[in-house]
Amino acid sequence: MASSSRNRYLPVKNGLKSFWLKQPHELSDHRSTSTIPEQSDIIIIGAGYAGVATAYHLLKEGTGAAAGLNITILEARGASSGATGRNGGHLRPDLYGHIPKYIDRAGVRAGAEVAEFEIENMWAIKKAIEDEKIDCDFTLVRCVDVYCNTKDATNAKASYDKLVALELDYMKDMFFTADPKEAEAYSGVKGALVAVSFTAGTMFPYKFILGLLKILLATGKVNLQTHTPVLSVERDEKRGYAVSTERGTVYAKQVVHASNGYVAGLLPEYERNIIPCKGICTHIEMPEQNRGTAPLFTNSYSLANDDNTSSYLIPRLDGSIIVGGSRQKFRPFKEQWYHNVDDSILIDASKDHYEEYMQRTYRGWEKTDAKVSSIWTGVMGYSFDSNPHIGSVPSKPGQFILAGFNGHGMPVIWLGAKGLAKMILADQRGEKLPFSETGIPRLFQTSQLRIDRAQANKEEDGDILGTGQIFLPKLPIHETHTWKSRL
């Protein structure tokens, strides 16, 4: 691959500082050794949520000979400086939004697997945080989805009614009202037409991942090399793969691609499958003297305003707010966000959207003088068909991928990494673990079919630029798939 093509997918050196990154962790710029190792059993590209979670599960799942594996994590910038250190901290499983679409494509069981997996992911993260005693502001909340325009409200009710009729057990956790007076009273959102709520979580994602990294590095089995961009991954007949970086080359039998929106730089076959797309997020706080004047926030939110602009929001324990989204505002200006990896520049089309957002949107916030105290952008990986790509890279034995989370990685990556770790360890033993035994939803499995499908179709036919209705035939699903929820 030409270097000019590769450079298109390298992170810029000086991205905007997010609220989460303002106080760097002691391991932010850590290098376990002064030079990169010459050889490693497994190389993981990316020290964000996906890469660190994979390393964690490799160590947890590894037994016997696999318990002695050594892992090298290569990161282009500081640890967790990409999407993980820039997201909204919202651990929100999708119980109904996209699920009817997946059901239409692949059947009820395949669609329901996604919702059940995301719920399970939330509880598994909670347990890991408690077991490892990681201080990352984790809280369980009710996520309140609110719709203030007729189209979105109508669609939300249709999705809810469809899933209730299918008698999916997880729907018992949901509260739903399509009475505007009830919706506004329950949510506190002005002009609410529909309100839905269910269990979700909020957290400080950067602290979570750096807390895990500290645990991993203490084992002596993980070598972290920050500020070490990977330039190429080439087959080496004797040593597996040669992973070239700006600081030298390291060899390994197995390589894990966990760089999300940047992944096509090293795996060009995914260029049409996983597109780097920028988003915007803010931190909002009110003057200290006004704290206590606004209604108490104990819920997180996903909200579609009356102008069809969507946002997500979490309350912080200090009374401040994290809110981001507004994709509908900048969607027409493709050059500002689509196929764009420059997180040092804000998205002009929506950079002012969250000024006085709380006053405009929520009852009781009109006189709080709440203001945007910090605003940033980040690069996400959006997949052509809206599903992540997890598993063995087709036609590249020993290479694996965990990427393409569509801005929705928080409730997917943890157990996705656990399932991938099982595949990697089986490969170490010379075995092939069936994807159906990984615990990952079947729709998330990367495949040559999915790669070819994206390459053969127009970009506007996919979920990224379209209306959320992908104009493709149903995925072929084998009914012998044995995935079962562990709930």
Side-chain angles (χ1 to χ4, degrees):
M1 184 191 305
S3 60
S4 59
S5 176
R6 172 68 187 114
N7 289 340
R8 181 184 183 188
Y9 291 97
L10 276 175
V12 300
K13 292 186 180 296
N14 298 302
L16 293 169
K17 289 285 186 184
S18 72
F19 166 77
W20 313 113
L21 297 172
K22 284 190 172 178
Q23 294 184 343
H25 190 276
E26 60 181 327
L27 296 175
S28 175
D29 301 317
H30 181 79
R31 289 177 176 172
S32 300
T33 52
S34 59
T35 59
I36 63 174
E38 181 180 348
Q39 185 79 35
S40 185
D41 292 314
I42 303 169
I43 293 173
I44 297 175
I45 301 170
Y49 187 1
V52 172
T54 300
Y56 177 88
H57 288 299
L58 282 168
L59 295 188
K60 284 289 185 180
E61 297 286 327
T63 58
L69 293 175
N70 62 79
I71 300 167
T72 298
I73 303 177
L74 302 174
E75 169 57 49
R77 298 188 295 195
S80 194
S81 61
T84 305
R86 298 168 183 278
N87 70 33
H90 200 186
L91 183 54
R92 172 191 178 273
D94 179 11
L95 305 192
Y96 70 101
H98 288 282
I99 305 305
K101 174 174 62 180
Y102 301 148
I103 289 174
D104 289 343
R105 290 182 195 170
V108 175
R109 191 63 250 145
E113 282 174 8
V114 175
E116 293 167 358
F117 178 77
E118 293 188 12
I119 294 168
E120 186 180 1
N121 196 87
M122 175 184 68
W123 293 112
I125 289 176
K126 180 178 184 293
K127 185 177 187 305
I129 290 169
E130 292 169 350
D131 289 348
E132 299 292 3
K133 297 179 174 56
I134 298 174
D135 178 12
C136 59
D137 301 349
F138 180 85
T139 60
L140 277 181
V141 296
R142 295 292 288 183
C143 176
V144 183
D145 289 2
V146 185
Y147 302 92
C148 300
N149 65 81
T150 302
K151 179 181 177 181
D152 285 336
T154 300
N155 289 340
K157 187 176 189 308
S159 294
Y160 175 81
D161 290 343
K162 179 175 183 174
L163 297 177
V164 169
L166 291 172
E167 298 183 344
L168 297 176
D169 192 60
Y170 70 79
M171 293 293 289
K172 295 175 183 177
D173 182 48
M174 295 184 68
F175 166 79
F176 182 94
T177 179
D179 180 302
K181 289 184 179 179
E182 288 183 358
E184 184 166 330
Y186 181 76
S187 67
V189 174
K190 301 173 184 178
L193 300 178
V194 165
V196 191
S197 79
F198 47 90
T199 305
T202 68
M203 63 193 299
F204 199 128
Y206 177 68
K207 283 186 176 180
F208 175 51
I209 297 306
L210 270 296
L212 288 173
L213 262 178
K214 187 173 183 178
I215 293 168
L216 293 177
L217 294 175
T219 67
K221 298 176 182 178
V222 175
N223 187 311
L224 171 64
Q225 294 291 327
T226 62
H227 303 284
T228 306
V230 176
L231 305 178
S232 67
V233 178
E234 302 291 342
R235 185 71 183 169
D236 183 278
E237 293 301 324
K238 294 183 179 180
R239 306 174 76 175
Y241 288 99
V243 179
S244 299
T245 79
E246 290 185 353
R247 299 173 53 229
T249 299
V250 55
Y251 295 87
K253 296 291 186 182
Q254 295 172 304
V255 178
V256 181
H257 297 267
S259 56
N260 200 23
Y262 304 96
V263 75
L266 298 172
L267 294 174
E269 58 266 48
Y270 285 91
E271 188 164 22
R272 292 291 295 274
N273 282 265
I274 301 176
I275 310 295
C277 298
K278 287 170 61 174
I280 202 160
C281 196
T282 65
H283 177 243
I284 294 177
E285 56 186 348
M286 67 185 80
E288 188 171 353
Q289 64 270 21
N290 289 352
R291 294 177 185 175
T293 63
L296 180 65
F297 255 36
T298 57
N299 299 318
S300 62
Y301 284 83
S302 176
L303 192 149
N305 288 104
D306 55 4
D307 65 353
N308 197 38
T309 301
S310 299
S311 299
Y312 56 85
L313 178 153
I314 69 165
R316 298 266 306 132
L317 296 176
D318 61 6
S320 64
I321 301 292
I322 300 289
V323 59
S326 69
R327 183 179 172 190
Q328 292 79 3
K329 293 290 184 185
F330 58 77
R331 179 180 283 173
F333 307 95
K334 281 180 61 177
E335 73 284 353
Q336 295 184 25
W337 65 278
Y338 186 75
H339 262 305
N340 189 326
V341 299
D342 191 349
D343 56 16
S344 69
I345 300 174
L346 289 174
I347 303 172
D348 284 343
S350 66
K351 66 181 181 180
D352 299 322
H353 177 70
Y354 291 108
E355 295 295 343
E356 299 192 345
Y357 176 81
M358 300 303 295
Q359 293 91 321
R360 297 195 313 269
T361 307
Y362 291 91
R363 296 192 316 191
W365 281 75
E366 293 83 358
K367 298 181 180 180
T368 60
D369 199 28
K371 289 185 170 68
V372 173
S373 60
S374 182
I375 182 170
W376 63 93
T377 186
V379 178
M380 299 168 283
Y382 273 78
S383 74
F384 181 79
D385 59 13
S386 78
N387 294 132
H389 283 264
I390 306 177
S392 300
V393 176
S395 302
K396 292 184 176 178
Q399 293 198 48
F400 300 85
I401 187 171
L402 178 61
F405 306 111
N406 305 283
H408 191 63
M410 291 290 285
V412 170
I413 294 172
W414 185 248
L415 292 182
K418 183 175 183 179
L420 185 66
K422 292 179 180 179
M423 295 182 71
I424 296 168
L425 292 170
D427 184 68
Q428 278 274 346
R429 299 189 299 269
E431 302 170 2
K432 183 176 181 180
L433 182 71
F435 195 83
S436 59
E437 296 180 16
T438 63
I440 305 171
R442 66 190 83 178
L443 293 179
F444 293 0
Q445 182 178 12
T446 194
S447 67
Q448 193 63 50
L449 172 65
R450 291 179 66 193
I451 291 172
D452 293 344
R453 184 170 280 176
Q455 291 175 342
N457 285 271
K458 298 177 181 178
E459 289 181 341
E460 56 266 30
D461 286 342
D463 280 351
I464 305 168
L465 291 172
T467 61
Q469 298 297 320
I470 191 166
F471 302 115
L472 302 171
K474 287 185 178 181
L475 289 170
I477 298 296
H478 300 291
E479 293 304 322
T480 55
H481 193 288
T482 58
W483 186 94
K484 292 182 179 179
S485 170
R486 291 181 290 265
L487 287 173

